[in-house]
Amino acid sequence: MGELIQQGISGSLIGVTIFYLLSSLLVKQWVRIDVYQLLLSMAVAFLVAIVCEVGLGQLYYLVMGKPLWQYHVWPIHDGYTSALNFIIWPVYGFYQYCLHHVLTYKKWQLRPYWLMGLASGLDGPILEILANGFFLLFYQTFYFYYLPDDMRHYTSIQVVPLYMIMGVILTVVLKHLRERPPSWIYPIVFYSAGVVFILTG
């Protein structure tokens, strides 16, 4: 277990560094970190993503008669997610925080706001390729494995609409919470709920 956590932390640190440097490059200044907003984004992304990947993965199975993906590292919930995602999915929240900062800085906002969530159908598979590439390069295993081979099992075009659904849910929840008065109870509850979801797997 210790080695698995080390793998998750190492990959996460690389991801966080890349996202921070890239977003800072795009706005031509260091991105200012609002600790509360960052932790809120990370906690909400963790819970929404881990619940959606299990729920949407099961829905895909009901419709298609076979799973779309299977986790290879610390699989839980019938392989639709991984217990290591208590480290990995919050990094997607860090990415969302940086993306929100860049879009706000450049005044690139779509209306209605939830349309921004559809972009997850594009960036999600790209990030999956990077994640699987990292695990294959350093640990010689897929983190998750897509059964279709249209993208060499790193990800699949078929996952795009599922990422869009998750992205819209995440965008709507985050927008609602950002408009409320800050309260540390929100990130604590969302992250804790995600951990409980893992423990029930």
Side-chain angles (χ1 to χ4, degrees):
M1 182 182 298
E3 183 179 355
L4 290 176
I5 292 177
Q6 181 182 0
Q7 292 174 6
I9 291 174
S10 61
S12 297
L13 289 175
I14 291 174
V16 164
T17 301
I18 291 173
F19 297 148
Y20 183 78
L21 292 177
L22 182 59
S23 57
S24 295
L25 181 64
L26 289 172
V27 298
K28 299 179 181 179
Q29 62 184 28
W30 296 115
V31 172
R32 185 181 66 86
I33 299 296
D34 181 317
V35 176
Y36 170 76
Q37 292 295 336
L38 174 60
L39 294 182
L40 178 68
S41 181
M42 295 174 75
V44 173
F46 168 44
L47 178 61
V48 170
I50 200 168
V51 171
C52 279
E53 68 179 347
V54 173
L56 294 173
Q58 292 174 340
L59 177 62
Y60 180 94
Y61 180 84
L62 288 174
V63 173
M64 303 300 292
K66 57 185 177 182
L68 180 57
W69 67 82
Q70 286 284 303
Y71 272 85
H72 282 193
V73 177
W74 208 349
I76 56 173
H77 287 289
D78 297 320
Y80 288 111
T81 191
S82 167
L84 195 60
N85 278 339
F86 79 96
I87 297 173
I88 302 297
W89 272 125
V91 177
Y92 187 69
F94 186 92
Y95 165 78
Q96 287 291 327
Y97 175 87
C98 291
L99 178 63
H100 178 74
H101 179 87
V102 171
L103 294 177
T104 301
Y105 180 86
K106 291 184 173 293
K107 297 181 173 60
W108 294 342
Q109 299 293 337
L110 292 177
R111 296 292 185 270
Y113 189 76
W114 59 264
L115 286 173
M116 290 300 304
L118 297 179
S120 294
L122 301 176
D123 60 29
I126 294 172
L127 296 176
E128 286 189 329
I129 292 172
L130 295 175
N132 261 333
F134 172 83
F135 271 83
L136 283 167
L137 179 62
F138 291 101
Y139 301 109
Q140 294 74 55
T141 183
F142 279 90
Y143 184 51
F144 40 79
Y145 183 85
Y146 276 84
L147 276 67
D149 63 358
D150 55 325
M151 300 291 286
R152 301 180 64 85
H153 305 290
Y154 286 77
T155 186
S156 172
I157 296 298
Q158 296 180 48
V159 81
V160 168
L162 303 185
Y163 259 112
M164 286 181 173
I165 294 171
M166 184 201 77
V168 169
I169 295 172
L170 176 59
T171 301
V172 169
V173 173
L174 278 176
K175 182 177 187 299
H176 177 71
L177 291 175
R178 284 169 178 152
E179 291 174 345
R180 298 179 66 86
S183 172
W184 286 102
I185 195 67
Y186 297 133
I188 292 172
V189 166
F190 273 84
Y191 190 82
S192 298
V195 171
V196 170
F197 187 77
I198 284 177
L199 294 176
T200 62

